[in-house]
Amino acid sequence: MTTHAHRTTAEAIISAVAAERTGMVASLIRLTGDWDLAEDCVQDAVERALMRWPHDGMPRSPAAWLTTVARNRALDLLRRRQTERAKLQQRAITDEMAPGRALETDAQSDDRLRLIFTCCHPALALEGRVALTLKTVAGLSTAEIARAFLVSEPTMSQRLLRTKQKISNAAIPYRVPPDELLAERISGVLVVLYLIFNEGYGQHEDHLAVEALQLARLLVDLMPGEDEARGLLALITFQMSRRSTRFDAHGDLVPMEEQDRSRWDTALMEAGHRQLRHAARSGRPPGPYRLQAQIAACHATAAAAEATAWGTIVALYDALLAAQPSPVIALNRAIAVGFRDGYEAGLAELDALDATALAGYYLLPSARADFLRRLGRTDEAQRAYLAAIHLAPAGQPERRLLQRRLTEL
Amino acid sequence: MKYMMFVVVDPDAAAEAEPSEDDLTIEQWLADVDGRGKRITGDALRPVSDATTVRVSRGQVVVTDGPFTESKEWIAGFDILECDNLDEAIAIAARHPQANGGKLELRPFRTDED
């Protein structure tokens, strides 16, 4: 009983801290222009909260408490610097961050958007954008990000440093882009979030996928009128609704048709449908994320694998190819045709693809192998599986699934 | 913030150029950028066939014909821009006639703080 109460408190503290952290970092960056100072001060406030609150209880306004601690820490650090710039920074903080009061909610929302757009600026290297978004917007530690991307902590720390330095040295503005740039820059933000999602979703331990879901929710909260942001949120939500069935007890991948659909998360699926309905109200023709979310919705709606609406899915892939031509989308369309018109037709579609553009990509031989297996053409299937295994990433679940299929032939 | 904008000729990009009616001539681009006081100076350079590279090795001045890089791309000119931020410099670079069929590289100047 006591243990349970204690755990609830810890969870309440962690969620209160998480709710405030990004806005505080974002506002401090605007006030001081100093990313390291902002992160350092907020981290300090968070650590103090995690130490004090379990004993003293939560303050009446956790936001005001955290803001005051972060503010005092910032002023402390700046006083020691004794430069003209530090004086201006101190004034900005004392003017806007009153002791005992939380930052204005509206100002924090604007600041969080500024932070997201700046982290995802196209003049930054993509890997730097991903790392900085995870660090400052999602609040992950450098060690956690380094682990997720399989690099050493000093390497990741260097990558974050270079990215922050470029923002400052090249004068990348800390702002939400003006209207004429907004469409282009939002798609740059969505690319970063989807990349974070995919990085996590391929793994049994899918921390990054959960972070991406939260980041997409944040973006939709901050920009409710952006239908493609809702499209991305819907897409991630549908995919996350299947997460508990995607891996078996040994951490091996379970293909969608073998997943136990009764264990798909209906609340998440309903949330995905809701986002898609909301996005449709924009009246705009669906962009790439909405289309991909609609494809995911088709799978979610099918009561059984055999009941999948492959005709609709092929039509959606056609629209997706028109909006965003890509060899990988063409490959997925060919697979859908195989399920709609029969495996022979699927093989013909695969053969018609641009093999040069897909060279070295294991999913092409793996799709061939799958159709050949279903047609009972075992010898050809075996060769195709071997080709796919050769190209699949070593040690990854995808490769183990192909090996299992090969032994099952 | 001051940026050096290198105007780069790239034969690969030139082959893929897609002229459009919105393209500015260099005169129109200059009139716009100078009119808004965003350009400190700038000029065009003779091609790399007229370049000379100089270095000192063991106390000897070594002079060679040609550019310092072995690259198909070469710097054909430069402009020094004074902009509020990188987005403004990107917008100016994107309207330069050489953006379509060539490249522009933006490099911030070092400042005293560096």
Side-chain angles (χ1 to χ4, degrees):
Chain A
M1 185 74 194
T2 324
T3 323
H4 179 72
H6 184 73
R7 194 175 300 138
T8 315
T9 318
E11 273 167 19
I13 290 172
I14 287 165
S15 85
V17 162
E20 302 303 328
R21 207 203 58 86
T22 312
M24 285 172 46
V25 171
S27 298
L28 271 169
I29 292 173
R30 174 171 53 78
L31 295 172
T32 65
D34 188 329
W35 291 61
D36 293 328
L37 177 93
E39 276 175 26
D40 180 356
C41 297
V42 173
Q43 193 51 38
D44 182 64
V46 165
E47 277 165 18
R48 279 171 198 240
L50 294 178
M51 259 165 34
R52 297 268 303 270
W53 295 357
H55 304 289
D56 303 357
M58 287 250 271
R60 199 146 36 88
S61 166
W65 193 100
L66 289 164
T67 307
T68 305
V69 175
R71 167 191 188 276
N72 292 343
R73 167 87 175 170
L75 291 173
D76 247 16
L77 290 172
L78 290 169
R79 268 186 217 113
R80 280 181 227 162
R81 288 187 193 166
Q82 295 187 330
T83 59
E84 278 309 306
R85 180 159 180 245
K87 280 179 195 151
L88 289 173
Q89 291 167 320
Q90 284 177 56
R91 191 166 321 139
I93 290 172
T94 41
D95 284 355
E96 195 158 331
M97 295 174 87
R101 273 190 30 215
L103 288 154
E104 297 280 332
T105 315
D106 284 353
Q108 274 205 50
S109 298
D110 293 347
D111 282 340
R112 282 187 297 186
L113 264 186
R114 286 190 185 97
L115 181 64
I116 292 171
F117 278 103
T118 308
C119 287
C120 298
H121 195 281
L124 300 170
L126 187 56
E127 58 176 24
R129 279 183 249 169
V130 167
L132 194 60
T133 302
L134 286 170
K135 182 90 203 309
T136 56
V137 187
L140 266 59
S141 71
T142 306
E144 286 171 309
I145 307 168
R147 256 199 314 279
F149 290 91
L150 306 174
V151 300
S152 72
E153 200 177 329
T155 302
M156 185 49 76
S157 164
Q158 193 59 34
R159 187 181 296 176
L160 286 162
L161 178 71
R162 265 202 312 273
T163 310
K164 284 186 270 193
Q165 278 174 343
K166 174 145 190 201
I167 291 172
S168 144
N169 293 340
I172 290 177
Y174 190 61
R175 63 169 188 188
V176 178
D179 287 348
E180 71 270 17
L181 287 177
L182 203 54
E184 168 197 329
R185 295 284 165 89
I186 285 176
S187 71
V189 172
L190 299 179
V191 164
V192 168
L193 300 195
Y194 197 39
L195 212 143
I196 293 172
F197 173 74
N198 279 322
E199 196 63 40
Y201 197 58
Q203 306 296 327
H204 191 203
E205 297 284 328
D206 57 358
H207 309 299
L208 284 187
V210 178
E211 294 298 338
L213 176 63
Q214 277 158 2
L215 288 168
R217 279 183 184 144
L218 174 65
L219 188 66
V220 166
D221 281 348
L222 295 172
M223 307 194 95
E226 289 302 328
D227 63 312
E228 275 290 90
R230 282 190 193 276
L232 176 65
L233 175 56
L235 173 60
I236 292 179
T237 306
F238 281 124
Q239 289 182 300
M240 289 300 272
S241 72
R242 302 195 278 267
R243 72 189 281 224
S244 66
T245 61
R246 291 183 65 242
F247 289 92
D248 65 16
H250 311 290
D252 285 332
L253 261 180
V254 182
M256 203 196 291
E257 61 179 321
E258 292 171 17
Q259 290 173 13
D260 174 2
R261 288 176 189 236
S262 68
R263 284 170 53 218
W264 285 359
D265 187 327
T266 47
L268 278 180
M269 288 195 279
E270 190 38 54
H273 287 300
R274 216 164 36 238
Q275 290 301 335
L276 272 182
R277 284 196 297 272
H278 205 127
R281 279 185 233 150
S282 71
R284 284 190 280 267
Y289 291 104
R290 273 173 68 192
L291 289 166
Q292 290 179 80
Q294 286 170 359
I295 293 169
C298 284
H299 290 298
T301 318
E306 308 79 59
T308 309
W310 290 109
T312 313
I313 292 179
V314 172
L316 287 165
Y317 273 122
D318 285 334
L320 189 54
L321 266 179
Q324 195 183 54
S326 126
V328 177
I329 294 169
L331 169 60
N332 283 314
R333 182 192 168 278
I335 295 171
V337 169
F339 283 104
R340 183 191 63 181
D341 300 343
Y343 308 133
E344 296 275 7
L347 280 175
E349 287 286 329
L350 290 178
D351 288 339
L353 292 173
D354 180 355
T356 329
L358 290 163
Y361 192 53
Y362 79 94
L363 282 175
L364 179 56
S366 133
R368 282 186 56 81
D370 190 61
F371 285 146
L372 290 165
R373 171 177 63 88
R374 289 166 196 271
L375 286 164
R377 286 157 65 176
T378 312
D379 289 352
E380 290 164 273
Q382 199 165 25
R383 278 198 298 278
Y385 274 120
L386 285 170
I389 290 166
H390 180 67
L391 293 171
Q396 295 298 308
E398 294 86 351
R399 191 162 177 164
R400 289 202 299 277
L401 175 62
L402 291 166
Q403 276 156 343
R404 192 192 99 196
R405 287 282 195 229
L406 181 63
T407 52
E408 284 169 358
L409 277 178
Chain B
M1 176 65 76
K2 236 172 9 172
Y3 298 89
M4 167 65 86
M5 184 177 82
F6 294 109
V7 180
V8 180
V9 172
D10 174 0
D12 291 343
E16 287 171 19
E18 291 170 2
S20 103
E21 284 178 17
D22 301 331
D23 289 353
L24 301 183
T25 63
I26 189 68
E27 289 77 18
Q28 289 169 323
W29 183 84
L30 284 170
D32 170 54
V33 179
D34 286 340
R36 293 190 285 135
K38 294 296 174 189
R39 197 178 75 113
I40 295 169
T41 183
D43 226 322
L45 305 174
R46 301 275 317 155
V48 282
S49 53
D50 292 332
T52 303
T53 301
V54 180
R55 67 191 170 94
V56 172
S57 173
R58 293 184 193 137
Q60 295 281 324
V61 177
V62 182
V63 176
T64 44
D65 171 51
F68 68 95
T69 51
E70 295 279 339
S71 165
K72 281 188 293 180
E73 300 164 6
W74 52 280
I75 296 167
F78 70 94
D79 294 277
I80 296 178
L81 306 175
E82 176 67 57
C83 294
D84 294 342
N85 55 50
L86 184 62
D87 280 352
E88 189 178 47
I90 291 172
I92 288 173
R95 286 163 62 85
H96 191 281
Q98 195 60 20
N100 192 349
K103 287 177 185 171
L104 290 311
E105 177 178 322
L106 293 165
R107 293 269 289 274
F109 275 62
R110 282 187 83 117
T111 59
D112 295 342
E113 288 164 35
D114 290 340

